[in-house]
Amino acid sequence: MLTVKSKIIALSATALALGLATPAMAGKADRAREAISAAEAKLQSADQAGAAQMLTAEQASAREELNHAKEALASGHKDDAIATANHASAMAEANLGEVQHRKQAMNNARVQAAHEQAAAANAQAADAQAQVADANARAEQANNAATTAAADANAARQAAAATAAAAADQQAKQQEVAVTTTTSTPRRKVVHTKVVRKAPAHNSANVATSTTTTTVRTQ
Protein backbone atom coordinates (compact mmCIF):
# COMPACT_ATOMS: atom_id res chain seq x y z
CA MET A 1 0.00 0.00 0.00
CA LEU A 2 1.07 3.48 -0.73
CA THR A 3 1.83 5.66 2.14
CA VAL A 4 0.48 9.18 2.41
CA LYS A 5 3.82 10.49 1.35
CA SER A 6 3.80 8.29 -1.71
CA LYS A 7 0.29 9.49 -2.62
CA ILE A 8 1.34 13.09 -2.29
CA ILE A 9 4.32 12.50 -4.53
CA ALA A 10 2.15 10.75 -7.13
CA LEU A 11 -0.44 13.52 -7.10
CA SER A 12 2.29 16.12 -7.46
CA ALA A 13 3.76 14.32 -10.47
CA THR A 14 0.33 14.09 -12.10
CA ALA A 15 -0.33 17.75 -11.50
CA LEU A 16 3.05 18.62 -12.91
CA ALA A 17 2.39 16.55 -15.97
CA LEU A 18 -0.98 18.16 -16.47
CA GLY A 19 0.56 21.58 -15.96
CA LEU A 20 3.17 20.97 -18.61
CA ALA A 21 0.65 19.55 -21.08
CA THR A 22 -1.76 22.47 -20.86
CA PRO A 23 0.58 25.12 -22.34
CA ALA A 24 1.48 22.75 -25.16
CA MET A 25 -2.14 22.15 -26.00
CA ALA A 26 -2.83 25.85 -25.78
CA GLY A 27 0.04 26.56 -28.20
CA LYS A 28 -1.38 24.18 -30.83
CA ALA A 29 -4.76 25.84 -30.63
CA ASP A 30 -3.20 29.21 -31.21
CA ARG A 31 -1.25 27.87 -34.17
CA ALA A 32 -4.42 26.36 -35.60
CA ARG A 33 -6.26 29.66 -35.24
CA GLU A 34 -3.35 31.51 -36.85
CA ALA A 35 -3.29 29.03 -39.73
CA ILE A 36 -7.04 29.45 -40.21
CA SER A 37 -6.72 33.25 -40.17
CA ALA A 38 -3.89 33.13 -42.73
CA ALA A 39 -5.96 30.88 -45.02
CA GLU A 40 -8.94 33.23 -44.76
CA ALA A 41 -6.73 36.23 -45.66
CA LYS A 42 -5.32 34.47 -48.69
CA LEU A 43 -8.78 33.44 -49.84
CA GLN A 44 -9.96 37.04 -49.58
CA SER A 45 -6.91 38.24 -51.53
CA ALA A 46 -7.62 35.69 -54.25
CA ASP A 47 -11.26 36.76 -54.40
CA GLN A 48 -10.28 40.42 -54.70
CA ALA A 49 -7.88 39.54 -57.50
CA GLY A 50 -10.73 37.90 -59.41
CA ALA A 51 -10.36 34.23 -58.52
CA ALA A 52 -14.03 34.03 -57.50
CA GLN A 53 -14.96 34.74 -61.13
CA MET A 54 -12.01 33.18 -62.97
CA LEU A 55 -11.44 30.16 -60.71
CA THR A 56 -14.83 29.60 -59.14
CA ALA A 57 -14.46 25.86 -58.54
CA GLU A 58 -10.89 26.14 -57.21
CA GLN A 59 -11.85 28.88 -54.77
CA ALA A 60 -14.84 26.87 -53.59
CA SER A 61 -12.57 23.88 -52.88
CA ALA A 62 -10.13 26.05 -50.90
CA ARG A 63 -12.97 27.55 -48.86
CA GLU A 64 -14.37 24.11 -48.14
CA GLU A 65 -10.95 23.00 -46.91
CA LEU A 66 -10.85 26.05 -44.63
CA ASN A 67 -14.24 25.10 -43.18
CA HIS A 68 -12.89 21.61 -42.45
CA ALA A 69 -10.00 23.21 -40.53
CA LYS A 70 -12.43 25.25 -38.46
CA GLU A 71 -14.48 22.13 -37.69
CA ALA A 72 -11.34 20.23 -36.69
CA LEU A 73 -10.32 23.02 -34.31
CA ALA A 74 -13.79 23.11 -32.79
CA SER A 75 -13.63 19.33 -32.29
CA GLY A 76 -10.30 19.60 -30.51
CA HIS A 77 -8.30 18.12 -33.37
CA LYS A 78 -5.76 20.88 -33.39
CA ASP A 79 -3.15 19.11 -35.49
CA ASP A 80 -5.73 18.29 -38.16
CA ALA A 81 -6.96 21.87 -38.01
CA ILE A 82 -3.45 23.22 -38.55
CA ALA A 83 -2.74 20.88 -41.45
CA THR A 84 -6.12 21.49 -43.10
CA ALA A 85 -5.83 25.27 -42.69
CA ASN A 86 -2.34 25.19 -44.20
CA HIS A 87 -3.70 23.18 -47.13
CA ALA A 88 -6.51 25.68 -47.64
CA SER A 89 -3.96 28.50 -47.50
CA ALA A 90 -1.81 26.78 -50.15
CA MET A 91 -4.85 26.30 -52.40
CA ALA A 92 -5.82 29.98 -52.07
CA GLU A 93 -2.25 31.04 -52.78
CA ALA A 94 -2.16 28.83 -55.88
CA ASN A 95 -5.44 30.34 -57.07
CA LEU A 96 -4.07 33.82 -56.54
CA GLY A 97 -0.96 32.97 -58.55
CA GLU A 98 -3.05 31.50 -61.36
CA VAL A 99 -5.23 34.60 -61.51
CA GLN A 100 -2.19 36.83 -61.66
CA HIS A 101 -0.68 34.64 -64.38
CA ARG A 102 -3.87 34.77 -66.44
CA LYS A 103 -4.14 38.50 -66.01
CA GLN A 104 -0.54 38.94 -67.09
CA ALA A 105 -1.17 36.72 -70.11
CA MET A 106 -4.24 38.75 -71.03
CA ASN A 107 -2.32 41.96 -70.56
CA ASN A 108 0.48 40.63 -72.75
CA ALA A 109 -2.07 39.62 -75.35
CA ARG A 110 -3.60 43.11 -75.28
CA VAL A 111 -0.16 44.68 -75.60
CA GLN A 112 0.69 42.37 -78.49
CA ALA A 113 -2.62 43.14 -80.16
CA ALA A 114 -1.99 46.86 -79.69
CA HIS A 115 1.46 46.48 -81.24
CA GLU A 116 0.01 44.56 -84.17
CA GLN A 117 -2.70 47.16 -84.66
CA ALA A 118 -0.10 49.92 -84.52
CA ALA A 119 2.05 48.06 -87.04
CA ALA A 120 -0.97 47.57 -89.31
CA ALA A 121 -1.86 51.25 -88.98
CA ASN A 122 1.72 52.23 -89.79
CA ALA A 123 1.69 49.93 -92.81
CA GLN A 124 -1.58 51.43 -93.99
CA ALA A 125 -0.19 54.92 -93.49
CA ALA A 126 2.95 54.02 -95.43
CA ASP A 127 0.84 52.52 -98.22
CA ALA A 128 -1.33 55.63 -98.30
CA GLN A 129 1.76 57.82 -98.49
CA ALA A 130 3.10 55.68 -101.34
CA GLN A 131 -0.21 56.02 -103.17
CA VAL A 132 -0.17 59.77 -102.65
CA ALA A 133 3.41 59.95 -103.93
CA ASP A 134 2.48 57.85 -106.96
CA ALA A 135 -0.56 60.04 -107.63
CA ASN A 136 1.60 63.15 -107.36
CA ALA A 137 4.11 61.64 -109.77
CA ARG A 138 1.36 60.80 -112.25
CA ALA A 139 -0.06 64.29 -111.91
CA GLU A 140 3.40 65.76 -112.50
CA GLN A 141 3.82 63.61 -115.59
CA ALA A 142 0.40 64.68 -116.83
CA ASN A 143 1.27 68.34 -116.26
CA ASN A 144 4.56 67.90 -118.10
CA ALA A 145 2.79 66.15 -120.95
CA ALA A 146 0.19 68.92 -121.12
CA THR A 147 2.91 71.57 -121.11
CA THR A 148 4.79 69.74 -123.85
CA ALA A 149 1.61 69.34 -125.89
CA ALA A 150 0.79 73.02 -125.51
CA ALA A 151 4.33 73.96 -126.56
CA ASP A 152 4.13 71.64 -129.56
CA ALA A 153 0.75 73.07 -130.55
CA ASN A 154 2.07 76.61 -130.22
CA ALA A 155 5.14 75.70 -132.27
CA ALA A 156 2.90 74.09 -134.88
CA ARG A 157 0.72 77.21 -135.07
CA GLN A 158 3.77 79.40 -135.41
CA ALA A 159 5.20 77.12 -138.09
CA ALA A 160 1.89 77.12 -139.95
CA ALA A 161 1.70 80.91 -139.72
CA ALA A 162 5.29 81.23 -140.92
CA THR A 163 4.60 78.83 -143.79
CA ALA A 164 1.46 80.71 -144.76
CA ALA A 165 3.32 84.02 -144.58
CA ALA A 166 6.16 82.62 -146.68
CA ALA A 167 3.73 81.24 -149.23
CA ALA A 168 1.90 84.55 -149.41
CA ASP A 169 5.18 86.42 -149.81
CA GLN A 170 6.32 84.03 -152.51
CA GLN A 171 3.04 84.39 -154.34
CA ALA A 172 3.31 88.18 -154.14
CA LYS A 173 6.83 88.06 -155.53
CA GLN A 174 5.74 85.81 -158.38
CA GLN A 175 2.93 88.17 -159.26
CA GLU A 176 5.32 91.10 -159.18
CA VAL A 177 7.74 89.34 -161.52
CA ALA A 178 4.90 88.43 -163.80
CA VAL A 179 3.76 92.01 -163.97
CA THR A 180 7.32 93.25 -164.49
CA THR A 181 8.11 90.84 -167.34
CA THR A 182 4.87 91.39 -169.23
CA THR A 183 5.51 93.23 -172.58
CA SER A 184 2.95 94.85 -174.76
CA THR A 185 3.04 94.50 -178.57
CA PRO A 186 2.29 97.81 -180.33
CA ARG A 187 -0.27 97.82 -183.06
CA ARG A 188 1.00 98.18 -186.57
CA LYS A 189 -0.13 101.14 -188.52
CA VAL A 190 -2.80 100.60 -191.07
CA VAL A 191 -1.59 101.52 -194.47
CA HIS A 192 -4.20 102.69 -196.84
CA THR A 193 -3.30 102.44 -200.48
CA LYS A 194 -5.30 104.45 -202.86
CA VAL A 195 -5.19 103.61 -206.50
CA VAL A 196 -6.50 106.14 -208.91
CA ARG A 197 -7.06 105.25 -212.48
CA LYS A 198 -7.53 107.82 -215.07
CA ALA A 199 -9.61 107.19 -218.09
CA PRO A 200 -8.15 107.83 -221.55
CA ALA A 201 -8.64 111.28 -222.76
CA HIS A 202 -10.19 110.32 -225.99
CA ASN A 203 -13.03 108.40 -224.34
CA SER A 204 -13.75 110.59 -221.47
CA ALA A 205 -17.29 111.05 -222.36
CA ASN A 206 -18.30 107.41 -222.26
CA VAL A 207 -16.04 105.80 -219.55
CA ALA A 208 -16.70 106.30 -215.87
CA THR A 209 -13.85 106.79 -213.43
CA SER A 210 -13.44 104.03 -210.71
CA THR A 211 -11.41 104.27 -207.47
CA THR A 212 -10.25 101.20 -205.43
CA THR A 213 -9.16 101.47 -201.78
CA THR A 214 -7.27 98.60 -200.10
CA THR A 215 -6.87 98.45 -196.37
CA VAL A 216 -4.29 96.20 -194.81
CA ARG A 217 -4.49 95.69 -191.01
CA THR A 218 -1.80 93.90 -189.18
CA GLN A 219 -1.52 93.03 -185.50
Side-chain angles (χ1 to χ4, degrees):
M1 292 181 63
L2 295 175
T3 61
V4 176
K5 185 177 181 179
S6 297
K7 290 182 179 179
I8 293 173
I9 293 174
L11 291 174
S12 299
T14 302
L16 180 61
L18 291 175
L20 294 175
T22 299
M25 295 298 293
K28 286 186 177 181
D30 291 338
R31 286 166 53 196
R33 283 190 288 271
E34 290 175 357
I36 291 172
S37 297
E40 286 180 341
K42 289 184 179 181
L43 278 169
Q44 290 178 358
S45 296
D47 285 339
Q48 291 175 358
Q53 293 77 27
M54 300 174 65
L55 300 172
T56 305
E58 290 81 353
Q59 277 293 93
S61 298
R63 196 168 297 281
E64 183 179 2
E65 193 74 1
L66 177 62
N67 292 332
H68 290 332
K70 291 179 180 180
E71 291 173 359
L73 178 61
S75 301
H77 303 289
K78 300 175 181 63
D79 292 333
D80 291 341
I82 293 171
T84 305
N86 290 335
H87 186 215
S89 180
M91 293 173 67
E93 187 173 358
N95 293 340
L96 177 61
E98 179 63 20
V99 169
Q100 292 174 345
H101 175 73
R102 292 188 182 186
K103 284 186 174 181
Q104 185 63 38
M106 289 188 294
N107 185 57
N108 292 339
R110 285 194 295 269
V111 171
Q112 181 65 26
H115 288 167
E116 292 177 355
Q117 291 177 356
N122 291 334
Q124 291 177 354
D127 184 63
Q129 290 177 355
Q131 291 179 358
V132 170
D134 184 63
N136 291 335
R138 289 197 300 269
E140 183 67 20
Q141 291 177 354
N143 290 334
N144 293 337
T147 302
T148 302
D152 292 343
N154 187 34
R157 286 193 298 269
Q158 292 178 356
T163 302
D169 185 63
Q170 183 66 25
Q171 185 178 4
K173 289 181 179 181
Q174 290 177 353
Q175 290 177 354
E176 182 179 355
V177 171
V179 171
T180 302
T181 57
T182 301
T183 58
S184 58
T185 303
R187 291 184 178 183
R188 294 182 179 181
K189 295 182 179 181
V190 178
V191 177
H192 298 279
T193 304
K194 186 176 181 181
V195 179
V196 179
R197 293 180 179 180
K198 295 182 179 181
H202 62 275
N203 197 17
S204 58
N206 297 324
V207 180
T209 301
S210 61
T211 303
T212 300
T213 303
T214 302
T215 304
V216 180
R217 181 175 298 173
T218 62
Q219 294 179 352

